[in-house]
Amino acid sequence: MARFLIGTVPVTGHVAPMVAIAQALAQAGHEVRWYTGALFQPWVINTGAQFIPMTAGFDYSLEENISAELSAQREALGGLGQIKFDLKTFFVEAAVGYCQDLQAVLKDYSADVVLADTFFLAAGWLHEAGGPPWAQLAVSALSFASKD
């Protein structure tokens, strides 16, 4: 059987689509470990996967981990400015710590593949740094321009 390492940003809309996949993999006898925010630990455990907490990575699934200063900066922006802030802060900058955490995990767990949600950038970075192959699950709308 294969060894899977799942990585999801700690947001419900990114974690929820991965639940059925993790459950199916675990039920098929694969070894599954899942790195995500602490709020989702019960979800992970219920799939049969082993929960891996964020340590170096920014776990913003728990409100107490978001500083008042960061919240104030975000709220002051609104609209497109807030979206750009979220992408920079919660996805791009956070990926640095996620990558560090996954590198530490892989010292003791030789995953055959990393499965990640769309915005879990660390999976691709990890692969580029010599880590295992990775696959991505799209959890949002396809963002290609089209008349359709």
Side-chain angles (χ1 to χ4, degrees), residues 53-98:
M54 295 178 163
T55 54
F58 183 18
D59 182 2
Y60 47 88
S61 72
L62 302 175
E63 196 171 315
E64 63 263 22
N65 291 344
I66 303 172
S67 71
E69 179 184 343
L70 187 65
S71 290
Q73 288 173 351
R74 182 179 186 275
E75 294 304 316
L77 295 170
L80 183 57
Q82 195 174 73
I83 292 170
K84 289 167 64 176
F85 178 88
D86 288 353
L87 288 171
K88 178 179 179 280
T89 306
F90 299 111
F91 297 107
V92 177
E93 291 176 350
V96 174
Y98 301 157

Side-chain angles (χ1 to χ4, degrees), residues 5-8 18 114-120 123 134-138:
L5 176 56
I6 296 174
T8 52
M18 200 71 77
V114 176
L115 178 59
D117 78 80
T118 307
F119 284 97
F120 192 80
W134 65 288
Q136 186 177 31
L137 171 70

